[in-house]
Amino acid sequence: MRYIRPLSMEDAVGQLAGSPGTAAILAGGSDLLVRMKGGFIEPDLIVDIKAIDGLGEIRETAEGFSIGAAVSCALMGESAALNREWPGVVEAAKLIGSKQVQGRCTIVGNLCNASPAADSVPALVAAGARASIVGPGGRRAVAVEAVPTGPGKTSLAKGEIIEAILLDRRAPRSGDAYLRFIPRTEMDIAVVSAGVNLTLDEQGVVKSARVALGAVAPTVLLLEEAAEALIGRKLDEAALERLAKVCSGACRPIDDKRGTVEFRRKVAGVLARRAATTAYTRAGGK
């Protein structure tokens, strides 16, 4: 096994692209090292990207935010600007692991681990976040929901690295929220999760919406029909009931020791309602 710590993205991409065996990227390591210790993977090459300039920074621009691939979730929680504009994204990131893990784990790692129950991914999908990808063919940006293709699998090609997560500047009267259900009070894996992002007009009517569910299908579900249940209306009981019904019906969950299919479908609707209500309040709705 080789370990390298490149100082440039070009070097990192070149090393990954030229590796003849299996390669892994190390940022926080909260998923990678656990999988290695458990004997699930044994990479021939580990590329530590923490020394690459800019990957450990949250950058705010006129267009929005760029969250580097090595930015810890704890650092996201300390960013007042990010908390103010995207509270749902931050609250999702802050649910990953313990206090100790928070100092290491990253939302890019959470995305690339491709777990259906990843906490940050539904919130990022609801937010319309994009992944900035660097590879042998140059740079490209894709919607976050296009990265995981199944449990433990991504659409990234050989040699490609996600260098940052991109979030647009919020429109006025916008709000987002993320909620999950877990058996314990903390430090557990989501049985069901929901992210909602809303923008209102001056009368409090929903102009645009994005609704995402986690842990109820092989990948996060972005539900256009659920968004349509809210658009053009204030968040009245009829809209919330329609939202819950659509979310419950769209689930494709499994039965396991943590929850049944029936339970997950029911909770998906409940969480979507609650997350939408919180997002609506944050957007200034009454």
Side-chain angles (χ1 to χ4, degrees), residues 20-245:
T22 60
I25 298 170
L26 173 62
S30 57
D31 285 316
L32 174 62
L33 297 182
V34 170
R35 293 173 67 195
M36 289 174 62
K37 187 172 182 179
F40 298 106
I41 58 171
E42 188 173 339
D44 298 296
L45 171 67
I46 295 177
V47 180
D48 187 340
I49 62 173
K50 291 191 291 295
I52 298 176
D53 186 48
L55 295 199
E57 300 175 4
I58 299 174
R59 296 177 176 173
E60 184 177 4
T61 68
E63 289 76 32
F65 293 88
S66 174
I67 304 170
V71 170
S72 70
C73 292
L75 188 60
M76 289 177 62
E78 294 170 1
S79 171
L82 191 59
N83 274 272
R84 183 174 59 252
E85 290 220 23
W86 291 103
V89 170
V90 175
E91 64 195 1
K94 289 170 66 176
L95 288 173
I96 301 171
S98 63
K99 290 291 185 183
Q100 295 90 335
V101 170
Q102 282 280 304
R104 303 295 296 179
C105 65
T106 70
I107 58 171
V108 171
N110 197 225
L111 173 64
C112 292
N113 191 49
S115 166
D119 277 311
S120 68
V121 182
L124 290 171
V125 171
R130 289 161 290 129
S132 177
I133 300 170
V134 183
R139 279 178 169 80
R140 62 190 179 99
V142 302
V144 160
E145 58 266 30
V147 175
T149 57
K153 299 178 181 179
T154 74
S155 59
L156 298 175
K158 185 176 177 63
E160 289 191 323
I161 302 173
I162 296 179
E163 64 174 350
I165 296 295
L166 309 177
L167 289 165
D168 290 337
R169 179 70 65 189
R170 296 305 304 257
R173 295 178 294 280
S174 296
D176 70 324
Y178 173 79
L179 290 172
R180 69 177 183 179
F181 173 84
I182 58 174
R184 302 185 295 181
T185 57
E186 59 181 325
M187 289 179 61
D188 209 339
I189 301 170
V191 178
V192 183
S193 60
V196 178
N197 180 30
L198 304 175
T199 298
L200 314 181
D201 66 14
E202 294 179 356
Q203 285 73 44
V205 174
V206 178
K207 291 199 304 182
S208 64
R210 286 174 68 92
V211 179
L213 297 179
V216 293
T219 60
V220 169
L221 299 178
L222 177 62
L223 303 178
E224 293 185 9
E225 189 179 354
E228 291 169 0
L230 303 177
I231 295 172
R233 324 182 53 154
K234 293 189 176 182
L235 212 62
D236 55 23
E237 183 61 25
L240 289 172
E241 280 295 323
R242 175 62 181 162
L243 170 68
K245 183 177 180 180

Side-chain angles (χ1 to χ4, degrees), residues 215-216 252-256 259-261 264:
V216 293
R252 305 195 305 274
I254 59 171
D255 275 314
D256 62 18
T260 64
V261 168
R264 284 186 162 105

